[in-house]
Amino acid sequence: MKNLSNKVALVVGASGGIGSAIVGRLCGEGMKVVMSARNRERLEKTAESLKLAAGSYAILPADGSSFYHVEKLFKDIKKRFKRLDLVIISSGGYESLGLEATLKEASGTFQKLVGTNLVAAFHISYAAAAIMKKQGRGLIKGRGIIINISSHAATKVLHSGLAYGPTKAAARSLMLHLAKELAPHGVRVYDIQPSTVNTPEMSRFIPEGKRDLAVQPEEIAEKVVYLATHDVKEVNQPVIGKLPDF
């Protein structure tokens, strides 16, 4: 097992339910964590609610779907910290889409999820790869680790998932291709695929009284730490709860 103390991590989507759990866990491991999401105020409130120690984190807002935002984000990280050991992409979104919507409505939903679930994952992972493959070795035996928080919808057909499922499947494919490209450079890539997660964003979709059966954000944070501290080969990392699909 590798000690994470003083290593540098970036968590994109840090103000969300999963992202905030990951931030808290990584800071608890002694990492220096860059918190990023679109809204600075939400990031600041998240840091306050987690009671993070001064100096253990930095807030750098960015929209992952914007090339210009991501380019600036990574320039700032490189300038401040000189290296980047771990990147977590937890900025995806969920919207139900069946065949009830008009084409215009469906197109809007689909394009929105392409931006949040696929384009953002591409921008962040590509920019991270450019830094990691050139830097000295750090975590485990490699130069860095990239982890995308995906969904079991990447490999499973779910009800009303005409936009969500395909975008998550595409993001999974991106991680598989990226893992192959980065293997010679000593950079590891993972795609965590949880079933329904009990987050504030998803709680409205979970029947009351059954939220304890869903995957908890802390379980995903624990999985992130495990992947960062162990030499795991498999890119696909499912985390399945006890809640039936709906």
Side-chain angles (χ1 to χ4, degrees), residues 86-165:
L86 176 63
V87 170
I88 313 299
I89 306 165
S90 181
S91 56
Y94 172 82
E95 287 196 29
S96 175
L97 180 64
L99 293 175
E100 300 80 15
T102 66
L103 176 58
K104 182 178 180 180
E105 292 168 340
S107 178
T109 298
F110 190 85
Q111 291 185 59
K112 180 181 178 181
L113 292 191
V114 167
T116 56
N117 293 341
L118 180 57
V119 175
F122 177 81
H123 285 161
I124 297 296
S125 59
Y126 198 91
I131 291 178
M132 289 178 174
K133 69 181 185 178
K134 295 178 181 177
Q135 67 189 7
R137 292 181 177 271
L139 289 174
I140 308 292
K141 302 174 183 178
R143 292 187 167 92
I145 298 171
I146 299 169
I147 302 176
N148 181 53
I149 309 300
S150 183
S151 166
H152 67 155
T155 60
K156 191 172 186 177
V157 177
L158 303 179
H159 178 68
S160 297
L162 289 177
Y164 185 71

Side-chain angles (χ1 to χ4, degrees), residues 11-231:
V11 179
V12 180
S15 58
I18 296 173
S20 60
I22 293 171
V23 169
R25 189 71 169 80
L26 296 182
C27 284
E29 292 289 326
M31 296 195 82
K32 297 183 184 300
V33 180
V34 177
M35 299 173 62
S36 188
R38 287 175 292 184
N39 190 299
R40 175 180 286 276
E41 184 178 355
R42 285 191 63 188
L43 288 168
E44 291 172 346
K45 287 182 177 179
T46 299
E48 183 179 351
S49 68
L50 291 171
K51 296 180 172 59
L52 302 180
S56 67
Y57 70 97
I59 290 177
L60 295 177
D63 179 352
S65 65
S66 166
F67 159 77
Y68 300 102
H69 280 221
V70 173
E71 186 176 52
K72 184 179 185 305
L73 171 65
F74 279 83
K75 283 182 178 178
D76 288 347
I77 291 172
K78 195 170 183 180
K79 182 177 180 180
R80 287 193 188 200
F81 299 100
K82 312 302 180 188
R83 67 175 293 114
L84 184 58
D85 299 288
L86 176 63
V87 170
I88 313 299
I89 306 165
S90 181
S91 56
Y94 172 82
E95 287 196 29
S96 175
L97 180 64
L99 293 175
E100 300 80 15
T102 66
L103 176 58
K104 182 178 180 180
E105 292 168 340
S107 178
T109 298
F110 190 85
Q111 291 185 59
K112 180 181 178 181
L113 292 191
V114 167
T116 56
N117 293 341
L118 180 57
V119 175
F122 177 81
H123 285 161
I124 297 296
S125 59
Y126 198 91
I131 291 178
M132 289 178 174
K133 69 181 185 178
K134 295 178 181 177
Q135 67 189 7
R137 292 181 177 271
L139 289 174
I140 308 292
K141 302 174 183 178
R143 292 187 167 92
I145 298 171
I146 299 169
I147 302 176
N148 181 53
I149 309 300
S150 183
S151 166
H152 67 155
T155 60
K156 191 172 186 177
V157 177
L158 303 179
H159 178 68
S160 297
L162 289 177
Y164 185 71
T167 56
K168 286 297 187 179
R172 170 182 176 268
S173 178
L174 169 64
M175 294 303 130
L176 290 168
H177 282 80
L178 195 64
K180 185 176 181 65
E181 294 285 339
L182 287 174
H185 300 282
V187 178
R188 290 185 289 136
V189 180
Y190 299 106
D191 191 64
I192 296 179
Q193 298 152 7
S195 55
T196 305
V197 185
N198 182 27
T199 64
E201 300 90 347
M202 287 298 296
S203 62
R204 69 185 188 276
F205 297 106
I206 303 174
E208 193 170 350
K210 294 187 176 182
R211 290 171 187 165
D212 60 327
L213 300 178
V215 176
Q216 304 303 312
E218 293 75 17
E219 294 179 64
I220 299 177
E222 186 63 32
K223 171 71 79 170
V224 165
V225 170
Y226 184 87
L227 293 173
T229 53
H230 293 75
D231 192 6

